[in-house]
C-alpha cells in the first residue's frame, strides 16, 4: 500500500493513500472538532459531507481552509489545526449555526446531551452576535409515535440522511432545496408516520441536536403509578441492563440488572418482571415453528417456505412489510418478546392474580423506540385495551430514576418477581446481534436430535460483521443460518434470497447496529462501536453466569405451558403468541 508522509502540527505522520487529514490527525492523537462527520467504526458507516466546516484546518500553500474530513492527505503536506485563522473560522461557523437556532437549551430534549451545545462551549462561544429572526418558523413539528421532528433545530449535518438512506436503506429522510432554504424532510413533507419510516430511530441516535428526538412517555408512567385503582407491572428488555448504568456514570458494558430491578421497585411498580421470560417463550414458539418448517422441508413438503425470518424486531417487520410483500408468509409468526409478554400478562397473569384486564397496566422498558410504535398496532389489543400499555426507553427509565431522587448507585441488587421474571441465559443474549439465533439453536438442536447439547456457545454466530453466515450441524443435518444487523445489510440478504442467489434455513435480522444494544432508546452510541461491543460482551457474561442457559429449561415457562397454554403452537398459544403481517408496499 502506498504510504504518504506529512506533518500535522509539526508532528511527522505516515498514512496510507486515501487517508483524510481528520483520520491522520486522529491516528496521532490530535483532536479536530467535528459536527456533521460521523463514523461508525467497524460497521462501514461514514458520513463526511464536509458540510458544516467545523473541522477546517490550514494547509500550507493553500489559500482557503480545508475541511479535514473531506480532504485527503498528500505527500509532504503541512497541516496546522489550531492557528488563529482556523480557530476564528470555526467560531464564525458556530456563530452562524447558532444565529438561527432556537435558544431554548434549558428546556430542550437534548439539554445536557447535545453535541452542538458541547461544541459551542468548547469553542468558547459566549455571545451570539448575529441573530436571525427565528420566531416565525415555517416548519411544522412532527410527532410520529416514537419520534419527534423539530426542523428549527436542524443544522443540516445530514447524518440522519446517511443513516436513513445509506445505512438502513429506508429512504424516509432526505435533504431538499438549496442554500438557505435547504432542509432535511420527508417526501411531500409528510409526517414520518405517513412516510416509509420504520421507526428504528437510528436517525435520532446520530442527530447532534434535538432536531430528531425520541418522544417522552415518562409522564404517562408516573400517572399510572399514582393511580390507586391500577396494578402497574413492568418488563425490562435484555439490552437495557447493559446500558442503563452509562446514564449514572458507569463504564459501557457494566451490567446493572439487580440495581435496575431495585430502582423499578422504588419507583412503585407492583411487580418487576423481565422481558427475558418472554424471550424464552419466543424461543419455544419460534423454535417449534422453525423445526416444523425444516422437518417438513426435509420430508419433501414443497409447500413449505424457507428461510424462516426472525420476527422480534418491529422496525425490521415494518421494513419487511413495505419492501417484501411477496414474502409475507416467510417471517416467523411469533410475536416479539414485548408483545408476547403483554399477551401473557393480560390473559394469564391478570386472571391468576384476580385483576381485571383494564385495571392492569403493562409498562415495558426497551432499548428501542420502534416498540412505542409496535404496541399501537391494532392486532396487539383486545376490545381496545392494549396488551402493552406504555413503552419507555432505557434513557426514559434513567430520567424517571433521577426525577424520583433515587440514588441508583447505592441501591442493592434485587431479583425480578415471579412468575414472569425468571429467564435463562439464552434469553439474555437476545439483546445482541446473533443472540436470537443462538438461543433458538440451543433449543432446536436438542428437540431435533433428541440429544443434549454439550457446546452451548455458538461462537460462529457471534460477531459484529453486518452479514454473517454459518452452518450448524444438527447431528448430520447442516442447518444454514444467516444473521444481518442494520437494514441495509438485511436488504442485501433479502434481495439475494428473492433472486434465488442465496439460500438458508433461517435468517435473523435486527435493525439497529449490533442489535438491540445499539437501539435508539439506549444512551446514544454516537457512532462509537466500542460502546456497542462492551454492551454485547456484558450480555454474553450474564448468559455464561446463569444456572440455566436453554429456554426450554426455564421452569416457569414449562409451568406456563402446563397450566395454561398446553404446548408450543397449540391453538391457544397460536391465538395469543402469534401474529400476521400486512402488505405496506404503498408506503414506499
Ligand atoms: Fe428495536 Fe432492537 Fe429492532 Fe433496534 S434492533 S429496532 S432496538 S427491536
Amino acid at each position: 500500500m502506498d504510504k504518504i508522509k506529512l506533518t500535522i502540527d509539526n508532528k511527522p505522520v505516515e498514512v496510507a493513500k486515501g487517508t483524510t487529514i481528520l483520520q491522520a490527525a486522529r491516528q496521532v492523537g490530535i483532536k479536530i472538532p467535528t459536527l456533521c462527520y460521523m463514523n461508525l467504526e467497524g460497521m462501514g458507516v461514514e458520513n463526511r459531507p464536509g458540510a458544516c466546516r467545523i473541522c477546517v484546518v490550514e494547509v500550507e500553500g493553500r489559500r482557503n481552509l480545508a475541511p479535514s474530513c473531506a480532504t485527503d492527505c498528500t505527500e509532504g503536506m503541512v497541516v496546522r489545526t489550531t492557528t488563529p485563522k482556523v480557530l476564528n473560522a470555526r467560531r464564525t461557523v458556530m456563530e452562524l449555526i447558532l444565529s438561527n437556532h432556537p435558544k431554548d437549551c434549558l428546556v430542550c430534549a437534548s439539554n445536557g446531551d447535545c453535541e452542538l451545545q458541547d461544541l459551542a462551549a468548547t469553542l468558547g462561544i459566549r455571545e451570539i452576535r448575529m441573530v436571525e429572526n427565528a420566531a416565525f418558523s415555517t416548519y411544522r413539528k412532527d410527532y410520529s409515535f416514537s419520534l419527534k421532528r423539530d426542523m428549527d433545530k436542524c443544522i443540516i449535518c445530514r447524518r440522519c440522511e446517511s443513516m436513513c438512506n445509506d445505512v438502513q436503506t429506508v429512504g424516509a429522510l432526505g435533504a431538499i432545496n438549496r442554500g438557505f432554504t435547504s432542509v432535511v424532510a420527508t417526501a411531500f413533507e409528510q409526517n414520518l408516520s405517513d412516510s416509509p419510516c420504520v421507526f428504528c430511530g437510528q436517525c435520532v441516535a446520530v442527530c447532534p441536536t434535538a432536531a430528531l428526538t425520541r418522544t417522552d412517555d415518562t409522564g404517562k408512567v408516573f400517572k399510572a403509578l399514582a393511580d390507586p385503582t391500577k396494578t402497574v407491572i413492568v418488563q425490562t428488555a435484555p439490552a437495557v441492563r447493559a446500558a442503563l448504568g452509562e446514564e449514572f456514570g458507569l463504564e459501557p458494558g457494566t451490567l446493572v440488572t439487580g440495581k435496575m430491578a431495585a430502582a423499578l421497585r422504588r419507583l412503585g411498580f407492583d411487580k418487576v418482571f423481565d422481558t427475558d421470560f418472554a424471550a424464552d417463550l419466543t424461543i419455544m414458539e419460534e423454535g417449534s415453528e422453525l423445526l416444523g418448517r425444516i422437518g417438513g422441508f426435509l420430508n419433501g413438503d414443497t409447500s413449505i417456505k424457507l428461510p424462516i425470518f426472525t420476527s422480534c424486531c418491529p422496525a425490521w417487520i415494518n421494513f419487511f412489510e413495505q419492501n417484501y410483500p411477496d414474502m409475507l408468509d416467510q417471517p416467523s409468526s411469533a410475536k416479539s418478546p414485548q408483545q408476547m409478554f403483554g399477551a401473557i400478562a393480560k390473559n394469564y397473569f391478570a386472571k391468576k392474580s384476580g385483576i381485571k384486564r383494564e385495571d392492569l397496566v403493562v409498562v415495558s422498558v426497551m432499548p428501542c423506540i420502534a416498540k412505542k410504535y409496535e404496541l399501537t398496532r391494532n392486532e396487539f389489543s383486545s376490545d381496545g385495551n392494549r396488551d402493552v400499555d406504555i413503552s419507555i426507553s432505557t434513557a426514559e427509565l434513567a430520567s424517571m430514576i433521577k426525577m424520583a431522587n433515587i440514588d441508583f448507585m447505592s441501591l442493592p441488587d434485587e431479583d425480578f418477581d415471579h412468575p414472569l421474571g425468571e429467564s435463562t441465559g439464552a434469553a439474555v443474549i437476545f439483546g445482541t446481534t446473533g443472540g436470537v439465533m443462538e438461543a433458538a439453536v440451543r433449543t432446536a438442536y436438542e428437540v431435533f436430535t433428541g440429544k443434549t447439547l454439550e457446546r452451548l456457545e455458538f461462537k460462529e454466530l457471534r460477531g459484529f460483521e453486518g452479514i454473517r453466515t454459518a452452518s450448524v450441524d444438527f447431528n448430520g443435518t447442516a442447518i444454514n443460518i444467516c444473521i444481518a444487523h442494520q437494514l441495509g445489510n438485511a436488504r442485501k440478504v433479502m434481495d439475494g434470497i428473492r433472486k434465488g442467489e442465496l439460500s438458508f434455513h433461517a435468517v435473523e435480522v435486527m435493525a439497529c447496529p449490533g442489535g438491540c444494544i445499539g437501539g435508539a432508546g439506549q444512551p446514544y452510541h454516537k457512532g462509537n462501536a466500542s460502546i456497542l461491543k462492551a454492551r454485547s460482551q456484558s450480555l454474553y457474561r450474564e448468559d455464561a453466569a446463569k444456572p440455566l442457559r436453554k429456554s426450554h429449561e426455564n421452569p416457569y415457562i414449562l409451568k406456563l405451558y402446563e397450566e395454561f397454554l398446553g404446548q408450543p403452537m397449540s391453538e391457544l398459544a397460536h391465538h395469543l403468541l402469534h401474529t400476521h403481517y400486512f402488505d405496506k408496499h404503498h408506503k414506499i
Side-chain angles (χ1 to χ4, degrees), residues 198-202 312-316 366-371 431 509-522:
V198 297
F199 304 107
C200 66
Q202 285 303 312
C312 308
C313 170
W316 151 239
M366 295 282 140
C368 176
I369 62 172
K371 299 282 184 192
V509 178
M510 288 293 177
C512 296
C516 299
I517 48 164
Q522 301 277 66

Side-chain angles (χ1 to χ4, degrees), residues 177-221:
N177 305 335
R178 293 178 67 83
F180 291 119
T181 58
S182 56
V183 65
V184 175
T186 54
F188 316 116
E189 260 299 344
Q190 307 149 301
N191 282 342
L192 282 165
S193 48
D194 300 318
S195 79
C197 174
V198 297
F199 304 107
C200 66
Q202 285 303 312
C203 54
V204 172
V206 298
C207 177
T209 70
L212 285 153
T213 50
R214 42 200 173 204
T215 50
D216 182 350
D217 290 305
T218 56
K220 290 183 197 164
V221 182

Side-chain angles (χ1 to χ4, degrees), residues 126-193:
R126 292 290 173 265
E127 65 174 318
I128 298 164
R129 290 175 296 153
M130 300 155 268
V131 181
E132 210 179 76
N133 192 347
F136 304 105
S137 169
T138 52
Y139 302 126
R140 267 183 306 116
K141 307 248 185 309
D142 170 6
Y143 297 85
S144 289
F145 299 112
S146 43
L147 287 165
K148 183 178 159 199
R149 204 160 58 95
D150 179 353
M151 286 299 99
D152 285 328
K153 294 189 174 172
C154 176
I155 56 166
I156 328 271
C157 70
R158 302 174 73 167
R159 289 188 194 176
C160 58
E161 188 187 15
S162 281
M163 266 303 196
C164 189
N165 296 326
D166 305 338
V167 180
Q168 301 292 59
T169 65
V170 168
L173 287 170
I176 55 166
N177 305 335
R178 293 178 67 83
F180 291 119
T181 58
S182 56
V183 65
V184 175
T186 54
F188 316 116
E189 260 299 344
Q190 307 149 301
N191 282 342
L192 282 165
S193 48

Side-chain angles (χ1 to χ4, degrees), residues 335-510:
K335 289 179 184 173
S336 73
Q338 166 176 272
Q339 293 306 140
M340 279 205 187
F341 182 96
I344 290 300
K346 292 263 169 112
N347 293 287
Y348 168 73
F349 173 75
K351 273 195 201 114
K352 204 174 154 77
S353 314
I355 304 166
K356 281 197 223 140
R357 182 185 169 102
E358 56 274 23
D359 290 338
L360 181 67
V361 179
V362 177
V363 177
S364 70
V365 185
M366 295 282 140
C368 176
I369 62 172
K371 299 282 184 192
K372 287 176 188 271
Y373 150 79
E374 183 187 44
L375 63 83
T376 67
R377 288 180 69 126
N378 290 337
E379 57 275 26
F380 298 145
S381 59
S382 173
D383 295 330
N385 180 275
R386 288 177 183 157
D387 289 344
V388 177
D389 297 277
I390 311 166
S391 180
I392 58 168
S393 63
T394 309
E396 285 169 274
L397 173 59
S399 138
M400 286 185 71
I401 294 169
K402 289 171 191 168
M403 275 193 260
N405 289 321
I406 295 168
D407 182 359
F408 186 77
M409 295 308 295
S410 66
L411 288 172
D413 285 345
E414 292 182 10
D415 277 337
F416 292 105
D417 290 310
H418 289 132
L420 309 185
E422 184 67 46
S423 66
T424 68
V428 176
I429 57 175
F430 259 59
T432 185
T433 170
V436 176
M437 201 50 84
E438 184 169 338
V441 166
R442 288 183 193 176
T443 288
Y445 177 92
E446 293 203 351
V447 177
F448 188 83
T449 64
K451 292 183 173 175
T452 302
L453 185 63
E454 303 300 341
R455 181 178 64 103
L456 283 182
E457 287 167 9
F458 286 84
K459 297 257 164 76
E460 60 270 44
L461 302 176
R462 300 183 179 186
F464 263 68
E465 302 90 82
I467 300 173
R468 311 192 292 286
T469 58
S471 185
V472 179
D473 178 15
F474 273 30
N475 207 24
T477 304
I479 304 297
N480 299 322
I481 287 169
C482 177
I483 291 158
H485 60 119
Q486 299 187 310
L487 294 171
N489 293 321
R491 187 184 288 281
K492 286 182 200 150
V493 173
M494 294 302 294
D495 289 349
I497 292 170
R498 192 188 244 164
K499 285 186 204 148
E501 291 165 359
L502 294 173
S503 154
F504 303 103
H505 293 104
V507 176
E508 176 199 293
V509 178
M510 288 293 177

Side-chain angles (χ1 to χ4, degrees), residues 21 34 45 47 78 85 112 125 183-184 296 298 345 396 413 435 450 510 550 580:
I21 296 174
T34 56
V45 184
N47 182 55
V78 177
K85 188 176 173 187
I125 310 292
V183 65
V184 175
L298 294 175
E396 285 169 274
D413 285 345
M510 288 293 177
K550 301 171 208 160
H580 47 278

